Amino acid sequence: MNSQRIVLLGDSLGMPTGSEEIEYEDTYPYLLKIDLKHFEIISRHRRTNDTSKQLSSQRIFDDIEMLKPDVLVVHLGIVDCAPRVFSRFQNAIFSMLPVIVVRNILRIISHFRYNITKLNNKTYVKKDKFKINIEKFIDISNEMGMQLLFIEILMTSQKNDNRSYNFKNNIIEYNKIIEAASSSGNVGLVKYDTKDFLLKDGIHINKEGNKFLAHKISEKIANLVK
């Protein structure tokens, strides 16, 4: 009998940091392969990934329809809800400018970031769209007969909240959407029980956080596939 397949959809929080803090062997996708030896684990984490990107037709086809997982784990949200100075399109235009111009602009923006994000109230994925996206994951899992597991958004640092207006509140509000969607019997939810899982950037997950996620995901999957 073939082993059951788990597909992990996420952003850089399930990837090495590249700064000698989190190596590949420290990531929870790697640790899951050790904990869940009787499962096939496939990681589809991508940097700067959000729910709208992940629900593009191509990624639904590549990551879900073609892989046909028994369990789908969705760890997205921080990229969606983080306060932004620029939209993705504006960032693309901005990146075309000369490096020295970009540096000077960023220096000014960094100084006024809190006020700019307060005036802008900009995120990559608005709250109402995020709700639609989360419900779409549930619809897909029901259509394909998969078990679905969401991982909530880890609270950011106070430093980040002081730099970007309403950052922590955004996380709380988006997590409410995830939690409400996880109330159905076919959907599981992994919640954090500590704030000590952050690296210095206040976004990415440290070694203990990765161990925690691997353990909690293993527990949840054991209950989901009983």
Side-chain angles (χ1 to χ4, degrees), residues 54-71:
Q54 185 60 61
L55 286 169
S56 68
S57 298
Q58 189 64 56
R59 290 191 184 179
I60 291 174
F61 179 79
D62 289 338
D63 299 343
I64 303 176
E65 292 177 359
M66 289 296 96
L67 293 179
K68 298 179 176 65
D70 298 285
V71 181

Side-chain angles (χ1 to χ4, degrees), residues 20 45 118 130 145 149 156 203 206 219:
E20 298 183 359
H45 289 80
K118 184 175 182 178
F130 184 76
L149 178 63
T156 192
I203 298 292
N206 63 22
E219 281 187 341

Side-chain angles (χ1 to χ4, degrees), residues 26-36 151 190 207-221:
D26 300 318
T27 65
Y28 73 84
Y30 178 87
L31 297 174
L32 277 175
K33 294 179 180 181
I34 298 173
D35 290 350
L36 300 174
I151 300 174
V190 171
K207 292 181 181 180
E208 288 306 308
N210 276 280
K211 290 177 183 177
F212 173 84
L213 282 183
H215 175 68
K216 286 296 182 181
I217 292 169
S218 298
E219 281 187 341
K220 292 287 185 177
I221 287 176

Side-chain angles (χ1 to χ4, degrees), residues 51-52 55 124-134:
T51 55
S52 290
L55 286 169
Y124 283 166
V125 180
K126 294 297 183 183
K127 194 165 66 170
D128 56 348
K129 178 60 175 175
F130 184 76
K131 183 176 185 294
I132 292 170
N133 289 348
I134 292 299

Side-chain angles (χ1 to χ4, degrees), residues 85-86 94 104-114 116 163:
V85 173
F86 301 116
F94 189 64
N104 288 333
I105 293 175
L106 288 179
R107 190 178 298 114
I108 296 170
I109 287 174
S110 178
H111 185 71
F112 296 103
R113 182 180 179 87
Y114 185 86
I116 294 172
R163 290 185 68 246

Side-chain angles (χ1 to χ4, degrees), residues 67-124:
L67 293 179
K68 298 179 176 65
D70 298 285
V71 181
L72 185 67
V73 180
V74 177
H75 187 190
L76 293 165
I78 190 64
V79 178
D80 301 62
C81 76
R84 304 289 177 178
V85 173
F86 301 116
S87 66
R88 287 192 182 277
F89 176 75
Q90 290 169 330
N91 278 332
I93 300 299
F94 189 64
S95 66
M96 298 178 187
L97 298 174
V99 174
I100 189 168
V101 175
V102 171
R103 286 177 180 170
N104 288 333
I105 293 175
L106 288 179
R107 190 178 298 114
I108 296 170
I109 287 174
S110 178
H111 185 71
F112 296 103
R113 182 180 179 87
Y114 185 86
N115 289 327
I116 294 172
T117 53
K118 184 175 182 178
L119 290 171
N120 267 351
N121 192 27
K122 189 188 299 293
T123 59
Y124 283 166

